[in-house]
Amino acid sequence: MKLPDQLFVDGSYRDSASGRRTPLVNPATETPLAEVAAADLADVDAAVDSAHRAWESNWRDWTPGKRTEVMYAIARLLREHLEDLAQIECQNIGKPIGDARDEIGLGARVFEFYAGAITKFCGQTIPVWRGGFDYTLHAPLGVVAAIVPWNFPFPIGCWKVAPALAAGNAVILKPASLSPLTALKLGQLACEAGLPPGVLQVLPGAGSAIGDALVTHPLIRKVSFTGSTEIGRHIMELASRDLKRISLELGGKSPNIVFADADWERAAETSPMSVFANTGQDCCARSRVFVERKVYEPFVEKFVAATRKLAVGDPAKPETQLGPLVSAGQRATVEEYLTDARQRGSRFACGGNRPVGKGYYLEPAVLLEVGQADRCWREEIFGPVVAVRPFDDETAMIREVNATPYGLSGSLWTNDLRRALRVARQVESGVLSVNSHSSVHVEAPFGGFKQSGIGRDLGMNALEGYTELKNVYVAE
Ligand code: NAP
Ligand code: MG
């Protein structure tokens, strides 16, 4: 299979103006994978101009029905190429192949959802005081920049691109430098499905080189970003200059709360993958486990036993649950946290070491006796590390759950309905699941409280973020 290795601009692959390239390494083998063209400032200008031209001259006047048809056609092509795309993701970022297949399927489903949603995204007619006819319209914004990370490159790309296109915008998709390949295929397949050239462009390139130019470009009307809180804050500052629309989906330090009245055995068996899936590189990772003291000991025992059973290894094998970390740098960052935990006297119930052999692997680590002031309890690690602490009192526990600048996701395990409703109301997070670990539903809003972000992806809510509300009054 030929890997895409050029920018996708104006409906075709092309090299960057500078000729610069970014080398990619397969993190499971540490061997070179490809060298991909890296966009520079001249490429940003060319891509934004082309996107704006395509939007103004053609795309913004497409009927909702025509947009629906092309969105379904894109979804069909993604499904036809599902296996190729999954194999690419597996090699590029070490994503276990089973997860990679699920994520490409999820991306296709996002296109299907918005293909159908756009004809149900209604305005209002308003009986204004003076009579006549008053109605609201959802107007597209123009060109949207979607800047996405490397942990779930394909689905996160789709959940920005699909609602933006459905609402009638053009999109510049900037993948993370580590994971440009499936984004480039998405651009090409969307065009093949009938999307006019220029409506979706894909610009791999270093965020440090082209990020500011994208965010400040006068023809970019909105920046939709997923990534670190640090870069999110930077984007918000830059966007304030011309009051650019932004949505930010940032980090997390999500709780997993287990009450003694719950089916805590099921919670213990399923919880390892709520933090270790994607090798812990997940903004929704339940990295702080709060267990009611009455069941703390047996919970930890089961939780550790289930963690030890996780299949860590070659992401190309269908039975693998945890692949390598995405890069040597990411593993080094995680190891700094582990060193800090050791120095502060945390107990390692299991994991935390590198297995022998090639690849940026790390055994999933369960930390006990972690202090509430320790970095591993307070900061997002973005790797296979979890801290488990007992609690006695519900009110004090909720206060600690909320004592973080983050508020993205979380789980709550109880069989007491009133407690479930009360705690779900009190936890400060954008998404929460009761007796489950799911965070993402294509049909429902996804995003964070506090420093976990601003705005919502997915569901009908995302369409609001890619449109302006216009009120039209017609005199009678
Ligand atoms: P990051 O720097 O925030 O990267 C996310 C995206 O932003 C990438 O496409 C990146 O491009 C781009 N970017 C970088 N600098 C930019 C700038 N000045 N302007 C505009 N865009 C810019 O995240 P990271 O460095 O990959 O990861 C660092 C930490 O962020 C992780 O350890 C984790 O804590 C957090 N993170 C969170 C999520 C999430 O889903 N919420 C995802 C990834 C990471 P380049 O790749 O070219 O730098
Ligand atoms: Mg970065």
Side-chain angles (χ1 to χ4, degrees), residues 12-174:
S12 60
Y13 285 124
R14 64 169 74 159
D15 277 323
S16 62
S18 68
R20 250 193 286 277
R21 297 194 153 255
T22 311
L24 299 181
V25 170
N26 179 333
T29 58
E30 305 184 33
T31 52
L33 181 65
E35 294 209 341
V36 176
D40 230 318
L41 299 181
D43 304 301
V44 170
D45 281 339
V48 177
D49 283 348
S50 147
H52 190 260
R53 232 178 302 117
W55 179 72
E56 203 178 38
S57 66
N58 178 7
W59 176 243
R60 74 168 166 191
D61 297 318
W62 276 40
T63 61
K66 266 183 87 178
R67 274 182 268 144
T68 293
E69 279 169 10
V70 77
M71 301 276 294
Y72 276 127
I74 295 170
R76 267 196 304 278
L77 268 190
L78 293 179
R79 290 195 188 284
E80 276 170 30
H81 289 79
L82 188 145
E83 188 56 30
D84 276 1
L85 288 160
Q87 295 291 345
I88 291 176
E89 207 75 297
C90 175
Q91 292 174 39
N92 187 175
I93 52 171
K95 173 95 56 188
I97 187 65
D99 293 348
R101 291 183 182 123
D102 289 349
E103 289 178 22
I104 306 302
L106 175 64
R109 207 144 52 73
V110 171
F111 273 90
E112 286 155 357
F113 176 79
Y114 288 106
I118 197 59
T119 51
K120 286 108 199 149
F121 184 44
C122 303
Q124 290 179 298
T125 59
I126 303 172
V128 293
W129 188 269
R130 62 164 58 229
F133 184 62
D134 191 284
Y135 64 99
T136 61
L137 283 177
H138 295 289
L141 302 169
V143 185
V144 169
I147 303 178
V148 300
W150 43 261
N151 54 343
F152 298 99
F154 194 75
I156 294 180
C158 290
W159 76 50
K160 295 184 185 307
V161 169
L165 293 179
N169 302 282
V171 181
I172 309 272
L173 173 60
K174 195 210 94 61

Side-chain angles (χ1 to χ4, degrees), residues 270-293:
T270 57
S271 287
M273 282 305 273
S274 80
V275 57
F276 298 134
N278 213 40
T279 318
Q281 304 163 120
D282 180 354
C283 48
C284 291
R286 275 69 165 165
S287 52
R288 291 184 299 160
V289 187
F290 297 78
V291 187
E292 196 167 355
R293 195 176 302 273

